[in-house]
């Protein structure tokens, strides 16, 4: 019989519930438990796929093609849990399913209500991930206790505890202990209020995880325990991390979180083996060299917009024993000020995925700069498409070449709408989504990285390299080093005559883990270290080579 952990949040949002849930998942896996993780989001959109990054940060794509919350990225980076479309439910998705059933006549004769119909639907979404091969389900409730929107979810998990029995269900509440510099004190009142709200709903937390800047004393733990009706030993300190989010599992283990969870569920405890994770942390803590990756994008001021990319670059650093720093460049600034101003001294350039034409010319200029100076370049999704536009315009001499996403009337549409997308009008969940196989060309940079013939990577796009231009590109020295198994779709493009210049139509960042860095990111960072070691700008594609290609 699976056990269930519910993670709620109090006081403020952005406390790191996703990270903490992922870290708990990792600890439980190290005890040999099979874990599933799940997130409930109280907003009404069916999924975050139609929101912009200012609203939501990155849209994380699962293997089975669901567009989901970025917390699922944490789950996958920390654990080996199976993550799919059942791992993320929004209020909209729950209501959609209830309303569909109502139309089908499933509730014939009844008035359909929040309790019990919506709460039943929430409970069945929890059960849905609790298959026979699962020992513990961790469900995170998005938002903050006290929000109107999260009430049905809290009511559902309250009922769930009552139905399953308290020894099968555990409530963990993540809260904030603000530190007031003026009085030099850590304050507990907001936490007391937040737990008070939970108790009004009928949920008694079994554990409080307190986010804090300052260490919390035993006396403070006692006070929190007393006022919040939680055992002192279950008042947990989660301090701000020193250097990496990947320290969190180790911190929670030090606070004996895993031991307390196992005890709650009556599972015998023995020390968990975190050695692989510790080795990874050591590499992260004490790198032997350093490089900097310049990311040229549209949502550069938001760290959450390209979350998985930053993480994957950090993982690649671990693989190369290198510290990877980020230089974040707004693509529009490149347009305004010229490339030199923002990209001088760049050791590696990455253009991430995206939509809409803001900053496109700046991205193309940045790619040209990388190509002409032999700087390692990695283009992801839109970054690959911009790379093809750059090559078309500046190497093949196709003036005005573009993607039909940005210029439908271009004479040289090197990127065009996927055939399957031509009749699509609805926006939500209709892109080419999720994992597809891709055949790797032997002898290519891609093959060097993957050392595999067939790979599976996740997609999220409507546009694609236009096959009408394949021969021209190939004649100009472009290698199509990854294609769909039937050869019809270009998935990886690279330049043979350059130290590392590669674009992929998929999003490799979603599959990178700290203990399993993604091969393309690993090789990109390695190329950057080599480039820097050579003093930069050396192996550039010479003007002469470009002229030869144009002939
Ligand atoms: N806008 C491009 C497309 O739809 C790229 C998408 C992306 O980068 N995820 O194909």
């Amino acid at each position: 019989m699976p056990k269930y952990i519910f993670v709620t949040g109090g006081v403020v949002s952005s406390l790191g519930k996703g990270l903490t849930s992922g870290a708990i998942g990792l600890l439980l896996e190290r005890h040999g438990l099979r874990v599933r993780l799940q997130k409930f989001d109280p907003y009404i959109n069916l999924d975050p796929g139609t929101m912009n990054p200012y609203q939501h940060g990155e849209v994380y794509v699962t293997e089975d093609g669901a567009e989901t919350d970025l917390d699922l990225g944490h789950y996958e980076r920390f654990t080996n849990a199976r993550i799919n479309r059942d791992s993320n439910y929004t209020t909209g998705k729950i209501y959609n399913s209830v309303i569909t059933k109502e139309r089908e006549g499933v509730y014939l004769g009844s008035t359909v209500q929040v309790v019990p119909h919506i709460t039943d639907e929430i409970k069945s979404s929890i059960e849905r991930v609790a298959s026979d091969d699962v020992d513990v389900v961790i469900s995170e409730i998005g938002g903050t206790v006290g929000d109107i929107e999260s009430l049905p979810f809290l009511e559902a998990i309250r009922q769930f505890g009552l139905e399953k029995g308290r020894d099968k269900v555990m409530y963990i509440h993540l809260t904030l202990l603000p530190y007031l510099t003026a009085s030099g004190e850590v304050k507990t009142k907001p936490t007391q209020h937040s737990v008070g709200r939970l108790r009004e709903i009928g949920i008694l937390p079994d554990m409080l995880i307190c986010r804090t800047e300052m260490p919390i004393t035993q006396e403070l733990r006692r006070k929190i325990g007393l006022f919040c009706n939680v055992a002192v030993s279950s008042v947990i300190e989660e301090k701000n991390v020193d250097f990496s989010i990947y320290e969190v599992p180790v911190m929670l283990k030090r606070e004996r979180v895993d031991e307390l969870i196992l005890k709650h569920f009556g599972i015998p405890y023995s020390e968990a083996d975190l050695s692989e994770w510790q080795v990874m942390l050591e590499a992260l803590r004490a790198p032997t060299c350093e490089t900097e990756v310049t990311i040229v994008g549209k949502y550069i001021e938001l760290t959450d917009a390209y979350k998985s990319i930053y993480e994957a670059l950090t993982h690649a650093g671990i693989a190369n024993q290198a510290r990877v720093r980020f230089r974040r460049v707004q693509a529009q600034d490149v347009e305004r000020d010229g490339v030199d101003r923002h990209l001088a001294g760049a050791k590696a350039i990455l253009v991430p995925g995206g939509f809409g034409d803001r900053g496109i010319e700046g991205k193309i200029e940045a790619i040209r700069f990388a190509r002409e100076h032999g700087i390692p370049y990695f283009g992801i999704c839109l970054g690959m498409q911009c790379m093809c536009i750059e090559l078309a315009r500046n190497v093949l001499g196709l003036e005005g070449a573009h993607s039909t996403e940005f210029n439908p009337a271009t004479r040289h549409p090197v990127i065009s709408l996927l055939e399957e997308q031509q009749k699509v009008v609805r926006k939500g969940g209709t892109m080419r989504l999720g994992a597809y196989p891709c055949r790797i060309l032997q002898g290519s940079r891609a093959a060097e990285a993957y050392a595999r013939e067939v790979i599976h990577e996740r997609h999220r796009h409507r546009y694609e390299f236009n096959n009408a231009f394949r021969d021209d590109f190939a004649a100009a020295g472009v290698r199509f080093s990854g294609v769909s198994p039937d050869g019809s779709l270009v998935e990886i493009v690279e330049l043979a005559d350059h130290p590392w210049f590669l674009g992929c139509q998929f999003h490799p960042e979603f599959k990178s883990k700290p203990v399993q860095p993604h091969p393309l990111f690993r090789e990109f960072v390695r190329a950057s270290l080599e480039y820097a070691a050579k003093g930069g700008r050396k192996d550039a594609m010479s003007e002469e080579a470009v002229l030869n290609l144009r002939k």
Side-chain angles (χ1 to χ4, degrees):
M1 241 294 260
K3 313 278 193 270
Y4 301 86
I5 297 177
F6 294 108
V7 180
T8 54
V11 183
V12 290
S13 58
S14 306
L15 280 181
K17 284 201 299 289
L19 259 172
T20 305
S21 304
I24 292 174
L26 168 108
L27 290 177
L28 297 182
E29 278 190 346
R30 293 299 183 271
H31 284 281
L33 296 167
R34 295 158 306 173
V35 172
R36 291 289 303 267
L37 290 107
Q38 182 182 46
K39 167 116 195 247
F40 287 103
D41 279 305
Y43 54 76
I44 297 182
N45 305 58
L46 243 73
D47 59 43
T50 54
M51 288 187 221
N52 83 32
Y54 289 112
Q55 292 291 315
H56 193 273
E58 164 184 282
V59 172
Y60 187 80
V61 180
T62 59
E63 204 69 3
D64 64 343
E67 298 177 281
T68 70
D69 188 77
L70 56 78
D71 275 340
L72 274 69
H74 291 309
Y75 303 166
E76 286 215 80
R77 289 187 280 271
F78 280 95
T79 73
N80 298 312
R82 182 160 22 109
I83 300 292
N84 60 18
R85 55 184 64 253
D86 292 332
S87 314
N88 197 189
Y89 282 90
T90 66
T91 293
K93 196 163 157 184
I94 299 284
Y95 270 77
N96 194 40
S97 156
V98 168
I99 292 168
T100 307
K101 285 186 192 163
E102 187 273 335
R103 293 289 85 181
E104 285 166 357
V106 173
Y107 312 114
L108 226 47
S110 339
T111 306
V112 180
Q113 294 177 300
V114 173
V115 183
H117 300 96
I118 295 296
T119 47
D120 280 353
E121 192 65 33
I122 296 170
K123 287 188 285 179
S124 33
S125 339
I126 302 166
E127 302 265 27
R128 205 161 293 138
V129 295
S131 45
D132 288 345
D133 57 349
V134 175
D135 299 310
V136 183
V137 175
I138 303 174
S139 303
E140 177 192 342
I141 314 295
T144 308
V145 168
D147 295 347
I148 294 176
E149 283 93 342
S150 46
L151 274 176
F153 294 103
L154 297 175
E155 168 59 15
I157 64 169
R158 180 196 66 78
Q159 295 173 13
F160 203 89
L162 191 71
E163 287 160 16
K164 295 282 172 193
R166 293 294 283 112
D167 57 331
K168 309 246 173 356
V169 172
M170 185 171 183
Y171 298 104
I172 298 182
H173 189 56
L174 199 71
T175 175
L176 176 73
L177 297 181
Y179 174 73
L180 295 192
T181 357
S183 58
E185 272 180 307
V186 172
K187 305 306 278 183
T188 66
K189 193 72 81 191
T191 294
Q192 294 176 37
H193 280 298
S194 157
V195 174
R197 295 299 287 269
L198 262 185
R199 287 163 67 191
E200 270 172 36
I201 298 164
I203 296 173
L204 305 180
D206 300 297
M207 180 184 286
L208 286 180
I209 299 188
C210 306
R211 297 281 291 105
T212 168
E213 275 173 67
M214 296 289 160
I216 50 174
T217 59
Q218 196 56 26
E219 193 192 329
L220 207 65
R221 289 184 201 236
R222 236 181 304 209
K223 178 175 171 189
I224 297 168
L226 179 69
F227 283 93
C228 298
N229 197 39
V230 173
V232 185
S233 57
S234 296
V235 177
I236 305 298
E237 169 191 292
E238 189 183 321
K239 259 182 63 193
N240 293 353
V241 288
D242 290 334
F243 69 95
S244 164
I245 54 169
Y246 298 120
E247 290 172 89
V248 174
V250 178
M251 247 160 57
L252 295 183
K253 181 166 185 287
R254 212 177 296 131
E255 290 278 303
R256 299 168 54 207
V257 166
D258 52 339
E259 194 178 332
L260 289 161
I261 294 174
L262 264 55
K263 198 166 143 206
H264 181 94
F265 291 136
I267 303 170
Y269 172 83
S270 60
E271 188 80 9
D273 178 13
L274 279 190
S275 49
E276 187 193 23
W277 198 262
Q278 296 276 19
V279 168
M280 176 275 292
L281 276 180
E282 216 28 64
L284 200 54
R285 188 178 293 129
T288 57
C289 50
E290 160 172 336
T291 189
E292 182 189 70
V293 174
T294 302
I295 298 104
V296 183
K298 179 175 169 187
Y299 298 105
I300 228 64
E301 67 283 21
L302 299 173
T303 46
D304 273 358
Y306 308 121
K307 183 93 200 157
S308 296
I309 290 185
Y310 295 129
E311 292 308 315
L313 287 169
T314 303
H315 307 162
I318 297 169
N320 286 286
Q321 266 128 42
R323 169 173 296 125
V324 179
R325 297 191 188 284
F326 307 128
R327 194 197 303 181
R328 304 171 210 258
V329 174
Q330 174 62 253
Q332 277 179 304
D333 291 349
V334 174
E335 290 170 10
R336 194 191 54 216
D337 310 323
V339 262
D340 281 321
R341 165 94 189 273
H342 295 283
L343 298 179
K347 298 186 179 81
I349 295 175
L350 185 150
V351 174
F355 300 82
D357 64 359
R358 176 159 73 84
I360 288 292
E361 293 304 322
K363 291 175 189 173
I364 294 169
E365 274 312 295
I367 298 166
R368 177 181 194 158
F369 186 82
R371 180 176 55 77
E372 290 180 344
H373 295 108
I375 302 167
Y377 171 73
F378 193 6
I380 295 177
C381 204
L382 181 64
M384 181 205 92
Q385 298 176 355
C386 288
M387 168 179 153
C388 293
I389 298 168
E390 193 279 320
L391 290 169
R393 289 183 188 173
N394 304 321
V395 176
L396 280 78
L398 303 175
E399 207 180 310
H402 225 315
S403 160
T404 54
E405 180 179 2
F406 311 121
N407 179 4
T410 174
R411 277 177 48 223
H412 307 293
V414 289
I415 305 293
S416 59
L417 204 58
L418 275 158
E419 206 180 309
E420 67 197 37
Q421 286 286 324
Q422 318 241 326
K423 292 199 185 72
V424 174
V425 280
R426 284 161 69 101
K427 293 288 181 221
T430 55
M431 282 187 248
R432 179 173 180 241
L433 288 166
Y436 286 92
C438 164
R439 215 169 2 102
I440 301 291
L441 176 76
Q442 294 317 295
S444 62
R445 293 258 181 257
E448 205 173 87
Y450 281 106
R452 305 252 305 263
E453 280 171 25
V454 177
I455 54 152
H456 287 79
E457 293 282 6
R458 301 181 198 171
H459 298 69
R460 182 172 186 249
H461 63 123
R462 295 189 203 278
Y463 294 81
E464 175 67 44
F465 182 82
N466 182 347
N467 286 328
F469 291 88
R470 262 214 221 178
D471 291 345
D472 294 348
F473 270 65
V478 175
R479 279 199 297 225
F480 297 104
S481 53
V483 290
S484 57
D486 66 358
S488 66
L489 296 176
V490 169
E491 303 279 35
I492 311 179
V493 180
E494 58 183 76
L495 219 44
D497 185 16
H498 188 287
W500 213 89
F501 195 79
L502 182 146
C504 53
Q505 185 53 76
F506 47 80
H507 291 268
E509 68 272 25
F510 295 141
K511 287 180 89 160
S512 187
K513 294 175 191 255
V515 288
Q516 247 169 277
H518 191 283
L520 288 180
F521 282 91
R522 186 195 66 219
E523 289 307 294
F524 172 56
V525 166
R526 193 191 49 72
S528 158
L529 290 164
E530 266 171 25
Y531 172 82
K534 282 189 202 142
R537 295 202 173 210
K538 280 232 177 90
D539 300 320
M541 192 175 187
S542 60
E543 275 303 309
E544 200 185 352
V546 173
L547 288 174
N548 278 339
L549 285 173
R550 281 201 186 170
K551 276 181 203 155

